[in-house]
Amino acid sequence: ISTETTLAGIHFDNCLMNAAGVYCYDADELNQIQKSAAGTFVTKSATVVPRAGNPEPRYLSTPWGSINSMGLPNKGLPYYLDYVSQQQTLFPEKRYFQSITGFNIDEDEALLKQITDSDFNGLVELNLSCPNVPGKPQTGYDFETVEQILTRVFEVYEGPLGVKLPPYFDIVHFDQMAAILNQFPLAFINSVNSIGNGLTIDAATERVSIKPKHGFGGIGGDYIKPTALANVHTFYQRLKPEIQIIGTGGVKSGQDVFEHLLCGASMVQVGTALHKEGPQIFDRLTAELQTIMQQKGYNKIADFKGKLKYLD
Ligand SMILES: O=C(O)c1[nH]c(=O)[nH]c(=O)c1I
């Protein structure tokens, strides 16, 4: 029973990994994912210069998930490129993900040029969906800008690259985004990022939970699994087969992993549940997925990937 997968022609021993932003801020956290049962890691979204991020409290775990308005705290791209370079030397056969996000198209280009000029041999995850930088619009909902960014990106970058997308909720938006994405030689899309600008409150103190943005933040966890599965499956139906899908959102059990794969994901990322349980979660999720596959008579992910059945 194998939970291995292939993405952009690259083989990963396990289809599970962290979601950008969780357990990937610095070398200490990334080492913990590296040592875990995860098939690979993605770094925190890196910007041109390091960022402290928003004031705390900026993250809260809730019974059904999480809310965050981190504000893109990160060590800056050079830090992560150095770290990944070390890991590439230690594990020459493994490939890693570098998440990046610019505040405009020129920054995206600058970040990609830095990666090109480095010895990075992995995959780039271009984050188009950070919902928590005050005053910065959610790029993923600005379709013209997405098209402009991708046009520029593929003029300057030649390695395997995918985009991290926000959740969409309207079928016409899925059609419009798929039509844009299908124009480009993307290796993958990662669907979904947190559901932006949710609000959790503490009724006892009558206060919001987090400090930034009057308590508004991206929602993750159980709350978002139905939205995540719908986004994964809708893009699976609409995108050209060369663009594979990383499924993210609401994964905390082997069954959740199975559901993402059944909807068409080739890789599955874990955020909120990883934040709560720590990197040993990957042992549990892998074992639970293998049990489900065994019970169903599946030996490999290809046996059931994307084979969700309808009632019609
Ligand atoms: O606030 C963040 O740092 C953040 N938080 C999220 O939930 N998604 C993102 O893409 C980012 I860049």
Side-chain angles (χ1 to χ4, degrees):
I1 303 279
S2 163
T3 60
E4 65 191 325
T5 194
T6 302
L7 191 86
I10 300 162
H11 177 268
F12 296 91
D13 294 340
N14 200 349
C15 65
L16 292 165
M17 62 185 288
N18 68 301
V22 183
Y23 265 92
C24 57
Y25 171 75
D26 59 16
D28 173 56
E29 291 187 342
L30 287 161
N31 284 337
Q32 292 182 60
I33 304 298
Q34 182 71 305
K35 286 199 281 265
S36 79
T40 186
F41 63 70
V42 57
T43 71
K44 171 65 186 176
S45 294
T47 49
V48 173
V49 291
R51 288 172 55 87
N54 290 334
E56 296 179 335
R58 59 194 187 184
Y59 186 100
L60 178 75
S61 282
T62 72
W64 287 328
S66 66
I67 183 168
N68 92 83
S69 191
M70 308 302 286
L72 247 175
N74 75 95
K75 297 270 192 178
L77 183 55
Y79 176 95
Y80 299 109
L81 289 176
D82 284 350
Y83 176 81
V84 173
S85 180
Q86 290 166 27
Q87 298 306 310
Q88 287 178 182
T89 303
L90 291 169
F91 305 97
E93 77 293 342
K94 286 191 77 172
R95 295 290 177 274
Y96 306 103
F97 288 73
Q98 176 65 54
S99 177
I100 58 170
T101 189
F103 287 109
N104 57 56
I105 202 165
D106 292 333
E107 284 199 0
D108 287 334
E109 180 173 349
L111 290 162
L112 289 167
K113 279 200 178 349
Q114 275 187 41
I115 295 173
T116 299
D117 295 346
S118 76
D119 67 354
F120 180 73
N121 68 12
L123 302 92
V124 171
E125 182 174 284
L126 175 60
N127 186 353
L128 299 176
S129 45
C130 180
N132 302 321
V133 181
K136 182 174 175 289
Q138 163 71 265
T139 305
Y141 293 149
D142 177 346
F143 297 157
E144 290 74 27
T145 301
V146 168
E147 190 161 7
Q148 288 163 4
I149 289 173
L150 291 179
T151 301
R152 176 80 72 84
V153 159
F154 288 106
E155 284 168 354
V156 302
Y157 194 69
E158 291 169 5
L161 179 142
V163 288
K164 178 72 173 281
L165 298 174
Y168 299 96
F169 302 90
D170 183 296
I171 302 303
V172 171
H173 293 165
F174 282 124
D175 294 337
Q176 291 171 339
M177 268 308 286
I180 292 169
L181 296 167
N182 277 329
Q183 294 170 43
F184 299 98
L186 286 155
F188 67 91
I189 65 156
N190 182 345
S191 186
V192 294
N193 207 320
S194 52
I195 294 180
N197 293 307
L199 176 63
T200 61
I201 62 180
D202 177 343
T205 63
E206 301 175 18
R207 286 200 187 102
V208 299
S209 311
I210 56 175
K211 185 167 187 176
K213 295 174 63 175
H214 293 120
F216 282 50
I219 302 297
D222 299 1
Y223 306 109
I224 77 166
K225 191 174 81 169
T227 295
L229 293 179
N231 275 258
V232 166
H233 191 58
T234 303
F235 281 119
Y236 181 72
Q237 291 171 317
R238 284 167 171 69
L239 294 179
K240 57 188 180 184
E242 302 91 305
I243 304 179
Q244 290 179 266
I245 297 168
I246 298 179
T248 306
V251 175
K252 70 177 186 186
S253 72
Q255 182 184 307
D256 301 327
V257 179
F258 179 80
E259 291 174 17
H260 268 274
L261 298 168
L262 195 63
C263 287
S266 296
M267 195 90 163
V268 176
Q269 295 186 347
V270 187
T272 297
L274 169 60
H275 190 279
K276 291 183 183 187
E277 191 168 323
Q280 67 275 12
I281 193 173
F282 291 112
D283 294 302
R284 177 172 67 81
L285 294 177
T286 304
E288 289 176 0
L289 174 61
Q290 288 175 322
T291 299
I292 292 169
M293 288 172 68
Q294 188 162 32
Q295 287 166 344
K296 291 169 172 284
Y298 297 137
N299 294 312
K300 56 191 186 304
I301 289 173
D303 292 345
F304 62 95
K305 183 177 91 175
K307 296 185 176 174
L308 175 66
K309 292 174 277 194
Y310 306 133
L311 297 182
D312 47 46

